[in-house]
Amino acid sequence: MRKVIFMFTLAALSLTSCGTKKKIAELEKQNKECQDLLNSTTVKLNLCLTEKESLNQQNDYLKKNNSDLISNVGNMTTLTKQGAQNIEKALETIKEKDLKITRMQDALTKKDSVTLALVTSLKSSVGISDPDINVNVEKGVVFISIADKLLFKSGSYVVSDRAKEVLAKVAKVINDKPTFECMVEGHTDNVPFTGNAILIDNWDLSVKRSTAIVRVLTKDLGVKPSQLIAAGRGEFIPLVENNTAENRAANRRTRIVILPKIDEFYDMIEKEMKK
């Protein structure tokens, strides 16, 4: 009986020991799982802390960047105002230059109008239908060109009576324009002058003819001397080549250049350019 009881007790202890080992094994397994979970959680926590630090740094950067942007917006506002002022000044400068150009164009238009009116007036005043007398415009100035055969005899600088008729009509135009100036230009051909000892050469002849006409205009026809300029151009500005008798005759001429206050127009333009 005692032996049976002992066997039952031993069996019971054996069963209890097995159950305890199993439970311990389960507990150890659970402990390992908890440890793994803790390790995993620790790693995630560290990652989160790292991300938090990075986010904090980004937040600080964004705050600073935002502050800089706000400052830049203020600066841009200032720059925009300055730019607007600069544009306004530039437009004002362009407007002033346009006004100057307009004034210069008006001056040139006025000069052209005066020139055209003067040509019309001269043509109607001279009133001589002769191919040897031309009223024209050259390089912005008005001139009357008179062939020498109407003014002088060959090699002479004495004004002919017929020339005085033409010059009287020219004098009337000049006297009607007391502010105008007139330049009397003498021109010759290229044949060397050999007439007399008083005249040296063609240039001398051209000057003598010019001054002779000036004397007629002032002494006989009442033109103010201050309005006249005497000039000799000799043979050096021919109209055509001096290769035929006809061409040489065309080159022998006197030009009366009418200058209707051209200097005033140029002064006006120069003053506008200096402003």
Side-chain angles (χ1 to χ4, degrees):
M1 184 65 177
R2 288 182 178 178
K3 188 177 181 179
V4 172
I5 293 171
F6 174 78
M7 291 296 292
F8 277 111
T9 302
L10 183 62
L13 288 173
S14 179
L15 291 172
T16 302
S17 177
C18 289
T20 301
K21 288 181 179 180
K22 184 177 180 181
K23 191 170 184 179
I24 290 171
E26 290 177 356
L27 291 173
E28 288 177 350
K29 181 180 177 182
Q30 290 177 1
N31 181 60
K32 186 177 182 303
E33 290 176 353
C34 289
Q35 189 64 41
D36 292 341
L37 181 60
L38 176 61
N39 292 337
S40 176
T41 303
T42 301
V43 171
K44 291 180 178 179
L45 175 61
N46 290 333
L47 289 174
C48 289
L49 291 174
T50 302
E51 290 180 0
K52 178 183 178 183
E53 181 65 22
S54 176
L55 289 173
N56 286 334
Q57 292 177 356
Q58 291 182 17
N59 186 49
D60 292 339
Y61 171 77
L62 290 174
K63 285 181 179 179
K64 184 179 182 304
N65 193 44
N66 185 55
S67 177
D68 292 341
L69 286 174
I70 293 173
S71 176
N72 288 336
V73 167
N75 292 336
M76 286 297 294
T77 301
T78 302
L79 290 173
T80 301
K81 290 180 180 179
Q82 184 66 40
Q85 291 174 356
N86 291 339
I87 292 173
E88 186 176 351
K89 289 180 181 178
L91 290 174
E92 189 65 27
T93 300
I94 293 172
K95 183 178 179 181
E96 290 176 359
K97 289 184 177 180
D98 286 342
L99 182 59
K100 290 179 182 179
I101 291 172
T102 300
R103 288 174 179 172
M104 287 188 285
Q105 288 175 338
D106 290 343
L108 292 173
T109 300
K110 184 177 180 181
K111 171 181 168 292
D112 291 340
S113 298
V114 171
T115 300
L116 180 60
L118 183 59
V119 170
T120 303
S121 174
L122 282 170
K123 285 185 176 180
S124 61
S125 297
V126 173
I128 295 178
S129 177
D130 194 311
D132 295 317
I133 301 175
N134 293 311
V135 179
N136 215 331
V137 178
E138 183 177 296
K139 295 181 181 179
V141 297
V142 181
F143 67 89
I144 304 170
S145 182
I146 307 172
D148 268 12
K149 65 183 179 181
L150 297 180
L151 300 174
F152 308 100
K153 293 180 180 180
S154 178
S156 171
Y157 53 88
V158 178
V159 180
S160 68
D161 291 335
R162 187 184 179 191
K164 291 180 181 179
E165 294 177 12
V166 177
L167 293 176
K169 296 182 179 181
V170 174
K172 182 178 182 304
V173 174
I174 298 173
N175 289 332
D176 288 341
K177 306 287 190 299
T179 61
F180 287 12
E181 290 183 342
C182 298
M183 181 165 63
V184 181
E185 290 182 348
H187 296 261
T188 69
D189 58 27
N190 67 341
V191 177
F193 180 78
T194 58
N196 55 56
I198 298 176
L199 298 174
I200 300 174
D201 51 24
N202 281 329
W203 211 334
D204 195 14
L205 175 60
S206 68
V207 173
K208 286 281 195 296
R209 286 180 170 178
S210 174
T211 54
I213 292 175
V214 166
R215 289 189 186 96
V216 171
L217 290 172
T218 55
K219 292 183 178 181
D220 299 341
L221 302 172
V223 177
K224 291 188 298 183
S226 59
Q227 288 182 256
L228 300 177
I229 303 168
R233 308 303 294 268
E235 63 197 64
F236 303 105
I237 308 180
L239 293 175
V240 291
E241 292 187 26
N242 287 289
N243 53 5
T244 65
E246 183 179 2
N247 284 355
R248 287 191 291 273
N251 288 330
R252 295 191 299 269
R253 68 202 187 279
T254 296
R255 289 204 327 168
I256 301 175
V257 183
I258 313 296
L259 309 173
K261 303 297 285 184
I262 292 177
D263 55 334
E264 290 186 1
F265 295 110
Y266 290 140
D267 286 344
M268 183 189 307
I269 293 172
E270 186 176 357
K271 286 177 182 178
E272 289 295 333
M273 293 298 291
K274 289 181 179 179
K275 289 182 180 179

